[in-house]
Amino acid sequence: MFDWNWEIEDKLVSDLNEWRKKFSLIHEFIVSPDGEKISAPVELEDKKVTVCINGKTWQDTFERVCFLRFLPDSRIVCLILKNYEWTLSIEETVLEETFDYAWNLQFSDDGHTIAFNIKKGDLYGVCVNGKIWENLFFDARDLFISPDGTRTACYVRTRNPPLLDIFSFKEGVWTAGIDGQAWDKNFLSVYGLTFNQASNKVAASVRLDQQDFTVSVDGNLWDERFSYVWEPIFINESDVMVPVKLSKGWTMALNGKPIWNKYFVQLWNQRISPDGKKVAAVAAPEFGRWSIVVDGIIWRQTFSQAVLPPVFSSDGAKVAALVRENNKWTVAVDGKPWQEWFDRVWMPQFSPQGNHIAVKAEKEGKFFIVLDGRAGKEIFDMLWAPVFSPDGEKILIRAVSNGKYIRKVCTAGEILG
């Protein structure tokens, strides 16, 4: 985490009421990770669009501004359309290379690698830190950056049969492209692409024909075939885990071999604990009921409407997940839901020590922080995800109240009152 200000104080960063007086249209607001900046694409009187940060606009204007993002160091990036050509802008520095289309802007965890999908002429690929892949393809979809930021990948179409040539499509036209190099074999479909932590291996789920699915690691197929598989994950630098469907139902497989003696109506969104010793996933023990399963053992309580992907505490001792019942949301921790329910709840954030959970929640159009199941005393018009300080004693709140964007650092006691 960068050198953030964790002193306990309230700070008025920008009065958004003034923005609304100046601009004919304001698009979606975003805030920097440290809370010191708020930004949005804004439309000027001549219908031109530019970027506004803390009330100050860029000098240049564009036809469009898309994928506006703050980097981890709070620099801002976006894709812009100017003179009917797309390119990248970092702060106000515009990339010289232009494209017929650009989308899916992403960056590495440290912000040093910035990549996005591009279309140039009739071909597609990826631009990484201003450089286009050496090889382009007939199509390129989605984008993945390796954990160390040195590699990029996406799904690519290496063949371009006529639209009605169904036999060629049946043979497979899709594969994975890694740093512009496509795997040797094509498939009906490729999905769930993921890198290992060392960034030297890639796994993806592939469809071989209308009935057979499996996993490919660096282009090498597992021997086993399944009636369906979901997205794989690496549990270490070489072993791959994925939910698979067998005749008895869904279970978890490791390197192609089932590892649980339990079967479910559905199983997906598996996550590995930070120490790599536990796996949790969303499971349906029966039709219409959802829960979390940890190492093959399902929570006792189930939910009828939804259970979102599990989140581990940093020590792996606790698991939390968003759950929905009776059209209301809350957080369940180790199988026990909080007593208070809300209209919407965002992804739970564990404190670094794992002893607290904070979430952004909404009820009746208003937003507030919920800490360990208790709603905070302050209500906001807009709110972004809370952030714990490294010692877990303070929480950064980035919010809009009475039309003003404020940055607050609070203790748990101050939030709950």
Side-chain angles (χ1 to χ4, degrees), residues 151 178 183 193-196 200-204 216-219 234:
R151 307 183 74 191
I178 320 298
W183 285 348
L193 193 150
T194 184
F195 286 92
N196 65 350
N200 58 10
K201 286 184 174 295
V202 175
S216 176
V217 181
D218 294 333
F234 283 94

Side-chain angles (χ1 to χ4, degrees), residues 144-163:
F144 305 87
I145 300 176
S146 64
D148 66 2
T150 62
R151 307 183 74 191
T152 53
C154 65
Y155 312 123
V156 298
R157 183 159 60 87
T158 60
R159 300 174 61 193
N160 194 32
L163 185 61

Side-chain angles (χ1 to χ4, degrees), residues 366-403:
K366 296 295 182 178
F367 300 89
F368 41 89
I369 300 292
V370 181
L371 182 64
D372 300 329
R374 295 176 58 193
K377 62 180 181 179
E378 283 197 86
I379 298 174
F380 305 100
D381 300 321
M382 297 175 64
L383 181 66
W384 285 265
V387 182
F388 281 99
S389 61
D391 61 8
E393 297 299 320
K394 302 172 184 177
I395 297 175
L396 172 64
I397 299 175
R398 302 166 295 172
V400 175
S401 181
N402 296 320

Side-chain angles (χ1 to χ4, degrees), residues 67 79 86-87 99-106 114-120 123-128 132-133 136-137 139-145 152-156 177:
F67 292 94
L79 296 177
W86 286 92
T87 192
F99 311 95
D100 295 307
Y101 193 55
W103 73 103
N104 211 12
L105 176 65
Q106 297 186 32
I114 301 172
F116 53 96
N117 289 110
I118 60 101
K119 178 180 185 289
K120 203 166 180 69
L123 297 177
Y124 297 77
V126 174
C127 179
V128 186
I132 305 173
W133 275 0
L136 298 180
F137 303 90
D139 203 346
R141 299 182 183 180
D142 289 347
L143 176 61
F144 305 87
I145 300 176
T152 53
C154 65
Y155 312 123
V156 298

Side-chain angles (χ1 to χ4, degrees), residues 93-248:
T93 301
V94 176
L95 186 68
E96 291 185 4
E97 185 81 49
T98 60
F99 311 95
D100 295 307
Y101 193 55
W103 73 103
N104 211 12
L105 176 65
Q106 297 186 32
F107 47 84
S108 58
D109 290 340
D110 60 10
H112 293 160
T113 298
I114 301 172
F116 53 96
N117 289 110
I118 60 101
K119 178 180 185 289
K120 203 166 180 69
D122 293 327
L123 297 177
Y124 297 77
V126 174
C127 179
V128 186
N129 289 338
K131 295 182 179 180
I132 305 173
W133 275 0
E134 184 176 351
N135 297 317
L136 298 180
F137 303 90
F138 295 113
D139 203 346
R141 299 182 183 180
D142 289 347
L143 176 61
F144 305 87
I145 300 176
S146 64
D148 66 2
T150 62
R151 307 183 74 191
T152 53
C154 65
Y155 312 123
V156 298
R157 183 159 60 87
T158 60
R159 300 174 61 193
N160 194 32
L163 185 61
L164 297 180
D165 183 1
I166 60 174
F167 299 103
S168 293
F169 281 101
K170 187 177 180 180
E171 292 173 0
V173 299
W174 289 96
T175 192
I178 320 298
D179 299 326
Q181 301 297 319
W183 285 348
D184 293 335
K185 184 174 178 55
N186 283 347
F187 309 97
L188 279 180
S189 62
V190 184
Y191 54 98
L193 193 150
T194 184
F195 286 92
N196 65 350
Q197 194 61 35
S199 303
N200 58 10
K201 286 184 174 295
V202 175
S205 296
V206 298
R207 185 176 185 178
L208 303 176
D209 53 41
Q210 291 188 346
Q211 295 181 329
D212 292 329
F213 295 77
T214 192
V215 170
S216 176
V217 181
D218 294 333
N220 301 311
L221 298 176
W222 283 355
D223 293 333
E224 295 79 9
R225 303 291 184 264
F226 308 96
S227 56
Y228 205 83
V229 301
W230 284 122
E231 293 87 350
I233 59 171
F234 283 94
I235 63 170
N236 51 43
E237 301 306 348
S238 58
D239 295 321
V240 175
M241 180 177 289
V242 64
V244 298
K245 187 177 183 182
L246 304 175
S247 58
K248 295 181 180 180

